[in-house]
Amino acid sequence: SLVTSLLACAVQKSGKRAAILDADITGPSIPKSFGLNTKRAESVSEKKEDGSEGGYLLSVKSKSGIQMMSMNFLLPEENSPVIWRGPVIGGAVKQFWTDVMWEDVDYMFVDCPPGTGDVPLTVFQSMPVDGIVIVSTPQQLVKTIVEKAVNMANMMNIPVIGIIENMSYVKCP
């Protein structure tokens, strides 16, 4: 989430329009990264062609103008748990893509939980993904999970455009 936030900030600072879709439904942290822990998403209704009502959520903007949507914007309290199974979580990710009124965006970053579970699979199958950035740490256990994520991306023809290793260091000689 930190890497996602920093990448979106860099893009926004460069003059492009950035957005973040926080797909980590059960552990959303993007709003906290931007100091938006109390802001709530607003919904709007509109009449559809068939006469029925349809609803959309408005994205929430950071002080620098980065648009975002996160489950934390929809919870009664930021520490309220989301106790859902995979299909419901996947449905929420899809709704953040289809049912949020995103303004013009040049780059949208999708923050996913680690691994190869329902969320990355839903993102890869239901959104146009130009590439992914893998975030790792130097532990062997994490390396195994990251290798699986890279292999999943390769199997689904999603380019890996970067790998970042957090919590690592270089010892000066």
Side-chain angles (χ1 to χ4, degrees), residues 6 19 32 39 49 85 145 152-153:
L6 291 172
K32 193 87 163 169
K39 185 138 182 147
E49 289 179 16
R85 295 200 182 271
I145 295 167
M152 176 183 176

Side-chain angles (χ1 to χ4, degrees), residues 13-78:
K13 192 174 182 179
S14 77
K16 302 290 185 187
R17 295 168 300 217
I20 301 173
L21 188 158
D22 190 354
D24 194 350
I25 301 298
T26 61
S29 57
I30 293 298
K32 193 87 163 169
S33 298
F34 290 90
L36 297 173
N37 35 339
T38 58
K39 185 138 182 147
R40 299 287 172 234
E42 297 177 39
S43 62
V44 293
S45 295
E46 71 175 26
K47 287 266 188 210
K48 294 183 177 180
E49 289 179 16
D50 64 5
S52 64
E53 286 279 326
Y56 290 94
L57 290 169
L58 300 176
S59 63
V60 175
K61 285 189 179 179
S62 71
K63 288 179 184 175
S64 62
I66 298 169
Q67 298 175 65
M68 57 191 77
M69 181 49 63
S70 173
M71 183 55 71
N72 258 14
F73 293 141
L74 306 174
L75 297 174
E77 302 292 329
E78 81 172 6

Side-chain angles (χ1 to χ4, degrees), residues 3-172:
V3 170
T4 301
S5 299
L6 291 172
L7 287 170
C9 286
V11 164
Q12 190 79 9
K13 192 174 182 179
S14 77
K16 302 290 185 187
R17 295 168 300 217
I20 301 173
L21 188 158
D22 190 354
D24 194 350
I25 301 298
T26 61
S29 57
I30 293 298
K32 193 87 163 169
S33 298
F34 290 90
L36 297 173
N37 35 339
T38 58
K39 185 138 182 147
R40 299 287 172 234
E42 297 177 39
S43 62
V44 293
S45 295
E46 71 175 26
K47 287 266 188 210
K48 294 183 177 180
E49 289 179 16
D50 64 5
S52 64
E53 286 279 326
Y56 290 94
L57 290 169
L58 300 176
S59 63
V60 175
K61 285 189 179 179
S62 71
K63 288 179 184 175
S64 62
I66 298 169
Q67 298 175 65
M68 57 191 77
M69 181 49 63
S70 173
M71 183 55 71
N72 258 14
F73 293 141
L74 306 174
L75 297 174
E77 302 292 329
E78 81 172 6
N79 61 355
S80 297
V82 178
I83 306 170
W84 294 346
R85 295 200 182 271
V88 178
I89 291 170
V93 171
K94 285 181 190 175
Q95 283 188 287
F96 281 0
W97 173 246
T98 60
D99 295 354
V100 171
M101 291 185 75
W102 299 100
E103 296 175 13
D104 286 339
V105 172
D106 296 310
Y107 294 92
M108 178 175 283
F109 297 91
V110 180
D111 189 52
C112 290
T116 58
D118 289 325
V119 171
L121 185 59
T122 298
V123 169
F124 289 175
Q125 290 179 333
S126 61
M127 296 177 202
V129 178
D130 293 325
I132 63 169
V133 175
I134 300 281
V135 180
S136 181
T137 58
Q139 296 83 21
Q140 185 59 42
L141 176 64
V142 174
K143 181 182 177 203
T144 302
I145 295 167
V146 165
E147 286 175 348
K148 289 181 181 190
V150 168
N151 290 338
M152 176 183 176
N154 288 335
M155 289 172 67
M156 300 190 78
N157 297 315
I158 306 289
V160 176
I161 58 176
I163 297 179
I164 296 172
E165 186 175 70
N166 274 343
M167 301 180 204
S168 190
Y169 65 93
V170 174
K171 201 178 224 181
C172 291

